[in-house]
Amino acid sequence: LIASKYDDDVYVLIGLLLALGITLLVYYLIFTPSSTVRKRLSKYGVEFFCKKKGLLLVRTSSHKIGLFLKNGNKVISPEYKNIIFSGDYYLLENDRGLWGAYNVKLEKDVVPCDYSSIQVLNNGFIKVEKEGKRYTYSQYGTIIKTVNVDFDDIINIVSRNL
């Protein structure tokens, strides 16, 4: 039996191919939902998903996005144009460009998608604005502060102080 100088290279190549195959199998098992989950998602017209913070971020054929648990149970219906993760909240933007918020810990909507701007404050409250009025929501979804903002008054005050 004569050993070829290429035998070691063949074994290395076989080892690399085996490692690649195992890596692909593990990736498939971890990142691909089961057929049951895919069936649940197909009810919503989901055509694309990716994992984000332990959830499935999904997009429908009409380019709406939503969030599902790994088992396919719905967290947020795929009806939004944009979802931004911010601390304990998902900030939701609808087709009209209006914003709302979903509290992750409470697992419920706490701010309706009616506001032109939204900001999560350091204390966990949410500041929103709509038609010149600013509102502050608690993390439970109750309005705790309302401020009327009249930009003409602000301009007058600033110009008087110049």
Side-chain angles (χ1 to χ4, degrees):
L1 201 54
I2 300 175
S4 166
K5 66 178 185 176
Y6 298 108
D7 284 349
D8 288 340
D9 293 339
V10 169
Y11 291 126
V12 169
L13 181 61
I14 289 172
L16 289 173
L17 289 173
L18 186 59
L20 177 64
I22 291 171
T23 302
L24 289 173
L25 178 63
V26 168
Y27 180 83
Y28 176 79
L29 292 174
I30 291 174
F31 293 108
T32 303
S34 67
S35 61
T36 305
V37 171
R38 286 194 306 270
K39 192 180 287 185
R40 284 184 188 164
L41 296 178
S42 70
K43 290 190 309 189
Y44 295 95
V46 170
E47 68 174 21
F48 174 79
F49 69 91
C50 68
K51 289 198 174 179
K52 185 83 170 178
K53 296 193 178 218
L55 297 168
L56 297 174
L57 179 65
V58 301
R59 186 186 74 212
T60 65
S61 56
S62 59
H63 301 286
K64 306 284 183 167
I65 58 176
L67 290 171
F68 287 78
L69 298 174
K70 290 180 188 177
N71 65 7
N73 290 341
K74 177 181 60 167
V75 176
I76 297 174
S77 291
E79 57 187 62
Y80 297 97
K81 177 177 151 185
N82 196 3
I83 296 177
I84 297 174
F85 301 95
S86 180
D88 293 337
Y89 300 98
Y90 298 128
L91 305 180
L92 312 170
E93 181 185 18
N94 64 20
D95 282 341
R96 299 182 328 241
L98 300 177
W99 292 88
Y102 177 91
N103 186 315
V104 176
K105 289 181 179 176
L106 298 178
E107 298 180 353
K108 71 174 198 165
D109 290 319
V110 291
V111 178
C113 285
D114 290 335
Y115 299 96
S116 57
S117 68
I118 191 165
Q119 178 186 6
V120 178
L121 304 175
N122 289 338
N123 59 6
F125 292 166
I126 302 168
K127 186 165 69 172
V128 294
E129 186 174 330
K130 171 180 163 180
E131 299 172 356
K133 289 186 180 179
R134 291 187 183 147
Y135 305 90
T136 303
Y137 278 85
S138 74
Q139 58 269 34
Y140 303 104
T142 55
I143 295 176
I144 57 173
K145 184 178 178 185
T146 303
V147 177
N148 291 329
V149 179
D150 186 350
F151 292 105
D152 291 334
D153 288 344
I154 292 172
I155 291 170
N156 291 335
I157 291 169
V158 170
S159 63
R160 275 186 279 158
N161 292 328
L162 292 178

